[in-house]
Amino acid sequence: MARAFADHLASARERFVSTAARPLAFVLLVLGVLAVATGWIFASPPGSAPDDDYHLVSAWCPRPIESSCQTTMVEGQVNVLVPETVSHAQCEAFHPETSHACVKKYSDDTLFPSYRYDDGQYPPGFYHFHHLLTGHNVESSVWHMRAANVAILLILLGAIIGLSRREVRTSVALAALIAWTPMGLYFIASNNPSSWAITGVFCYGAALYAALHAQGWRRWTLLGVAGLSALLCYECRGDASFYVFVASLGILILQARRRHLPEIGVATVLSAIGVWLMLGSGQASNVSHTSDATVALQDRIDIAVMNVRYLPDYFAGFLGLYSGPGWRDTPLPGYTTILGLLVLGAVLFYGARTVSLRKALAAFMVFGAMAGIPLLIATPTAFPNLGGYHSRYALPLLGTWLMIWVTSAVKKPSPTKGQFTFFVVFLSVAQAVAMHTTIARYVRGLLWIPHIGWIAPGNLNGDIQWWWADMPLSPMVLWGLASLGYTLALVSAIYLLRHRQVEAPASSTPNEEEETA
């Protein structure tokens, strides 16, 4: 009798898992992703990302400026006329103790001349797209732009994950999660061109990698997604265009075989376009013009050595060290970076469970670009040293490198429940603390504590000096819902991926026959 009852309970549990648990987990995943996306969209005000005075003005007045904005001459230089709340949106920059309340003395109705606009330094597509979302209300326009950037990511990444095989899906999700928590999430939901660079480079590499594992219509659809992702790279930054070439090289070295001629052909064309666009970009011209020979050879050598020694700190900037939100003027608590580094280190060892020659070469190629490009560029007179070359410029490659590194390892036995628990807790805390600090910095300003440094007040609702005019949620409620959403999304994703691994073994494909250990 007891045996029959136990069998009945086991059968009921299996029916629940197969009919209700997975749909429920998927719903929680979607709600969690929307919650955390909303949190980062509204965590910081207009003008809060690096050089946002330049990027927002360029969105209001894309090239040619004569047809998009009124212009005026100021001291012999052409200025564009934009709302004061655009040109002065960064009024609190470099003052962590100051909230965004300083913007209240400016008006959306008053135009102000600005010389900070794109005159060929950046590709035009990013600014022209966001110009479509500009309106009279600057705050509304800004969060509409951010929401559009997030929507682009969710559409592309959702298509890749939905069309991919199980092992690819796991590698893509794991790489994105590690690479983007917390700074990637901040920049993706910003008005900075780095948003498209991070989204485009990663989704291009992920779609190409997934296409190499797919067959039939899924294969061609994924190549189409790769093309759209490359287009994002072409239209945001010159270096992002070059990263298409780097990602192609890494992914093709890892997985391409003779039967993958379509993928090789598409990647070759898209890479050639990216290199061509990079060489003709304003950013490349600036670097070549400023890197003159007036700096003594010994000085260059000294700075090169200094940059190599600083490289670990530069990489830690991916997780917020010396490169926190805002204009790098919002220092995150040290344990945010520590927790992120612990997770990154664990994933490094996790991926090392299976290392083939192809995987080692592919990972070395992408890592070499991630380290070598900053070391090459960050020299006088273009930059004083590596500290002046923001970590966010190389951040787009981190996700691709991680995706390459964890491939094959996901086919091995999965981590234990205890390891998953640490994974969820560490990432959830890092994300929650980073968002809390960001909101506090702009709502009321950070507090300077002698011998400790800048800290965020615990209660975000305690002294609200600035907040979004049309936001129905208080800062504390927004942060709480977003933090809870991140954890729910993370747990739901792990459940869905693990459950599929247990329920259905991977279907074999021709790609696996040449795997080497």
Side-chain angles (χ1 to χ4, degrees):
M1 188 71 176
R3 176 73 176 181
F5 181 71
D7 291 342
H8 177 73
L9 286 179
S11 177
R13 178 182 177 278
E14 291 176 2
R15 287 196 301 270
F16 172 77
V17 168
S18 62
T19 60
R22 279 188 289 179
L24 177 60
F26 180 77
V27 170
L28 292 176
L29 173 63
V30 172
L31 293 177
V33 168
L34 293 178
V36 72
T38 302
W40 280 111
I41 288 171
F42 292 101
S44 58
S48 56
D51 298 318
D52 252 8
D53 60 330
Y54 178 97
H55 299 305
L56 287 179
V57 170
S58 299
W60 253 261
C61 303
R63 291 182 278 152
I65 58 173
E66 292 79 8
S67 62
S68 60
C69 281
Q70 301 177 48
T71 61
T72 186
M73 297 296 294
V74 178
E75 297 181 354
Q77 184 176 5
V78 178
N79 280 222
V80 294
L81 295 175
V82 294
E84 285 183 324
T85 45
V86 172
S87 61
H88 294 77
Q90 78 293 355
C91 57
E92 77 287 338
F94 307 117
H95 295 279
E97 76 284 358
T98 303
S99 73
H100 191 62
C102 56
V103 80
K104 293 180 180 179
K105 60 185 177 182
Y106 303 111
S107 171
D108 292 348
D109 299 318
T110 303
L111 298 181
F112 190 88
S114 174
Y115 67 93
R116 295 272 289 165
Y117 59 87
D118 176 49
D119 59 354
Q121 304 304 309
Y122 286 80
F126 180 84
Y127 299 127
H128 277 278
F129 175 81
H130 287 90
H131 182 69
L132 300 175
L133 302 174
T134 59
H136 176 265
N137 188 309
V138 171
E139 277 195 0
S140 295
S141 301
V142 165
W143 77 257
H144 288 160
M145 296 176 195
R146 294 179 180 182
N149 291 341
V150 172
I152 291 171
L153 167 69
L154 295 180
I155 291 171
L156 292 176
L157 193 58
I160 294 168
I161 292 177
L163 295 170
S164 300
R165 292 179 57 227
R166 186 184 64 254
E167 294 87 354
V168 174
R169 188 179 300 136
T170 302
S171 298
V172 169
L174 181 61
L177 188 67
I178 304 302
W180 295 345
T181 303
M183 293 307 303
L185 299 177
Y186 169 78
F187 280 114
I188 290 170
S190 75
N191 302 98
N192 194 287
S194 292
S195 172
W196 281 18
I198 295 170
T199 295
V201 173
F202 180 78
C203 289
Y204 170 76
L208 180 61
Y209 178 64
L212 291 169
H213 288 80
Q215 297 178 352
W217 67 271
R218 293 176 183 268
R219 177 187 191 185
W220 298 105
T221 304
L222 285 165
L223 286 177
V225 173
L228 291 175
S229 302
L231 184 61
L232 282 185
C233 300
Y234 301 156
E235 294 298 336
C236 65
R237 293 180 56 88
D239 51 7
S241 298
F242 181 74
Y243 290 161
V244 171
F245 167 70
V246 175
S248 297
L249 205 56
I251 297 299
L252 294 180
I253 289 174
L254 174 70
Q255 201 63 42
R257 305 294 190 270
R258 283 176 295 180
R259 61 181 170 276
H260 293 134
L261 290 180
E263 288 85 353
I264 295 173
V266 169
T268 300
V269 171
L270 294 177
S271 298
I273 294 173
V275 172
W276 178 71
L277 290 174
M278 184 274 296
L279 292 176
S281 68
Q283 291 170 297
S285 300
N286 276 349
V287 172
S288 62
H289 289 162
T290 54
S291 298
D292 52 36
T294 59
V295 180
L297 177 61
Q298 185 60 48
D299 292 338
R300 290 185 179 274
I301 294 175
D302 292 342
I303 292 174
V305 172
M306 181 193 311
N307 286 345
V308 172
R309 295 173 61 183
Y310 182 77
L311 197 58
D313 297 68
Y314 182 81
F315 287 149
F318 296 156
L319 304 169
L321 181 66
Y322 309 138
S323 295
W327 292 52
R328 299 206 298 179
D329 59 359
T330 306
L332 299 178
Y335 61 88
T336 303
T337 302
I338 292 173
L339 292 176
L341 288 174
L342 286 173
V343 174
L344 185 60
V347 172
L348 181 66
F349 282 99
Y350 174 71
R353 295 195 297 181
T354 303
V355 180
S356 65
L357 178 60
R358 279 175 169 265
K359 177 176 174 177
L361 289 175
F364 178 77
M365 178 64 63
V366 177
F367 182 84
M370 195 163 56
I373 293 175
L375 290 176
L376 179 65
I377 294 178
T379 57
T381 55
F383 291 91
N385 51 53
L386 191 56
Y389 189 79
H390 295 196
S391 297
R392 63 187 170 90
Y393 299 148
L395 180 58
L397 287 175
L398 178 60
T400 302
W401 180 79
L402 285 171
M403 183 174 57
I404 291 172
W405 188 247
V406 300
T407 186
S408 302
V410 297
K411 301 177 183 178
K412 303 296 182 180
S414 64
T416 65
K417 290 183 179 180
Q419 291 171 321
F420 274 125
T421 300
F422 274 103
F423 181 78
V424 171
V425 171
F426 283 10
L427 284 181
S428 296
V429 171
Q431 190 279 152
V433 172
M435 183 181 289
H436 182 277
T437 303
T438 303
I439 295 175
R441 185 259 186 272
Y442 294 105
V443 168
R444 56 182 298 183
L446 301 181
L447 303 176
W448 173 258
I449 307 299
H451 311 299
I452 293 180
W454 296 104
I455 66 169
N459 183 8
L460 297 176
N461 294 341
D463 179 22
I464 299 178
Q465 300 174 16
W466 169 87
W467 191 233
W468 297 85
D470 299 326
M471 166 56 68
L473 303 177
S474 69
M476 202 72 179
V477 171
L478 176 70
W479 171 74
L481 291 176
S483 300
L484 177 61
Y486 182 92
T487 303
L488 283 177
L490 184 53
V491 172
S492 300
I494 291 173
Y495 174 82
L496 290 170
L497 292 172
R498 289 196 73 196
H499 188 71
R500 286 185 64 88
Q501 284 183 325
V502 173
E503 287 287 306
S507 59
S508 60
T509 67
N511 290 334
E512 296 174 351
E513 64 188 17
E514 299 180 44
E515 182 72 33
T516 57

